[in-house]
Amino acid sequence: MEHHAWPPWARRRPGTVRERWLPPQGGDAGSRSGLLWLSTLAVTVFVLVGSGFAGHDQPGRVPLDGFARALLVVGAALLLFRHRCPRTVALGTAVTTAVYLAAGYP
């Protein structure tokens, strides 16, 4: 049994950048990374569309602008790293959400 100094989520994964970040070409067991991209894309679209609908007819709220959309995309994009560094992702999404809400967006 090997002993590693780093926890599993902090170890470097072997392979090229393409192998680590892009979905696999076949239907092999590594398809989890493909699901990460698809689920993150689905969450991003849902958040952007949902926030657009939520912004209608809300007095006292700032209408969505480029900064609001950037915060929504950044918050959702952080989810790509949720298996590698879950604490950092939780903190990052909490911070982007707090900034979004503090700015008065719907």
Side-chain angles (χ1 to χ4, degrees), residues 3 25 32 36 38 44 48 52-53 60 64 77 80 87-88 92 96:
H3 174 70
Q25 298 299 323
R32 185 176 86 178
L36 287 176
L38 288 175
T44 305
L48 287 170
F53 282 118
L64 289 179
L80 287 171
R87 290 183 203 138
T88 305
T96 55

Side-chain angles (χ1 to χ4, degrees), residues 9-100:
W9 51 266
R11 289 187 209 136
R12 287 188 149 265
R13 294 196 170 101
T16 65
V17 172
R18 177 175 173 67
E19 291 167 346
R20 288 192 308 260
W21 290 100
L22 295 179
Q25 298 299 323
D28 57 20
S31 64
R32 185 176 86 178
S33 69
L35 291 176
L36 287 176
W37 280 99
L38 288 175
S39 63
T40 301
L41 179 63
V43 167
T44 305
V45 169
F46 180 78
V47 166
L48 287 170
V49 171
S51 295
F53 282 118
H56 293 296
D57 300 325
Q58 276 199 18
R61 288 291 184 182
V62 178
L64 289 179
D65 57 8
F67 182 64
R69 286 183 171 74
L71 286 172
L72 293 171
V73 169
V74 167
L78 285 170
L79 295 176
L80 287 171
F81 304 100
R82 64 186 175 260
H83 292 290
R84 273 192 190 179
C85 26
R87 290 183 203 138
T88 305
V89 170
L91 180 64
T93 54
V95 167
T96 55
T97 302
V99 170
Y100 179 88

